[in-house]
Amino acid sequence: MRQLQLCLLLPLILLFSATQAASAIEVKVSAQALEQTLRAQLFNGPEGRYYIRGDANSPCFVYAESPHVTFVQDRIVVHVHAKSKLGTSVRGTCLGVSLTTDTDVSLIPEAEEESIGFRDARIERLSESRELNFILAPFLSHKVPAQMKVNAAILMRQLLSRSTETTGYSLSLDSLKLHSLLVEGESLVMDADANLKVN
């Protein structure tokens, strides 16, 4: 009987301890999760494209599509396919040149309070066209890192918002403080302090 009481008491002790001071946690984020974020926040135009210049109805345009995220050593690499028609628009037609290229930018992850941020954007591969590179470089080095930024606390709160339905307990995140973000093999590893409440 005493052993049964201990078995029932142990989960309650664990739940109670989770409501106390912030505790260290480690969360692993896959490349696919970062890619999904990038697609949702940036590549959400027609046919999954992001128009850097023009739009789907422009005769002259530059767009990027098909983002793919991987991890290489300590960096996150974002590969995109870029397509362009560069020139002058005359009566609904672009007089100029069509270019297609695959480009890569790599980033270092950085903890920013509650958010996963990125720094040291480095363009690894561009096209052989100086005109196209002039347009692509700011997109790769500024726009992509800014749009990949993820507020981890908001994401965790969204996940926990359905905890009552799935576990029977109401779980909530009071605070989250990221300390470090490191690429380790196939994961982005996030070390943080979190304060969880269980009701």
Side-chain angles (χ1 to χ4, degrees), residues 45-47 49-63 85 89-94:
E47 299 181 51
R49 297 173 179 166
Y50 177 80
Y51 280 85
I52 303 164
R53 184 168 286 175
D55 58 34
N57 300 313
S58 302
C60 297
F61 57 81
V62 178
Y63 67 77
K85 278 193 178 179
S89 178
V90 178
R91 295 186 183 141
T93 303
C94 187

Side-chain angles (χ1 to χ4, degrees), residues 52-118:
I52 303 164
R53 184 168 286 175
D55 58 34
N57 300 313
S58 302
C60 297
F61 57 81
V62 178
Y63 67 77
E65 63 182 353
S66 306
H68 181 62
V69 176
T70 56
F71 299 136
V72 177
Q73 296 175 348
D74 64 340
R75 300 182 73 86
I76 297 166
V77 177
V78 181
H79 174 89
V80 297
H81 180 74
K83 190 169 183 179
S84 65
K85 278 193 178 179
L86 300 175
T88 304
S89 178
V90 178
R91 295 186 183 141
T93 303
C94 187
L95 298 178
V97 62
S98 294
L99 298 168
T100 302
T101 187
D102 290 313
T103 62
D104 296 321
V105 62
S106 70
L107 315 156
I108 290 182
E110 181 174 53
E112 298 177 356
E113 294 294 322
E114 293 184 341
S115 296
I116 299 170
F118 303 92

Side-chain angles (χ1 to χ4, degrees), residues 10-23 25 170-175 194-199:
L10 184 59
L12 292 175
I13 292 169
L14 290 173
L15 289 175
F16 177 74
S17 66
T19 65
Q20 302 305 306
S23 301
I25 61 168
S170 173
L171 303 171
S172 61
L173 177 69
D174 284 345
S175 65
N195 191 337
L196 292 170
K197 189 180 288 182
V198 182
N199 289 321

Side-chain angles (χ1 to χ4, degrees), residues 183-194:
V183 174
E184 292 182 4
E186 298 298 312
S187 298
L188 175 61
V189 179
M190 175 176 78
D191 284 319
D193 284 338

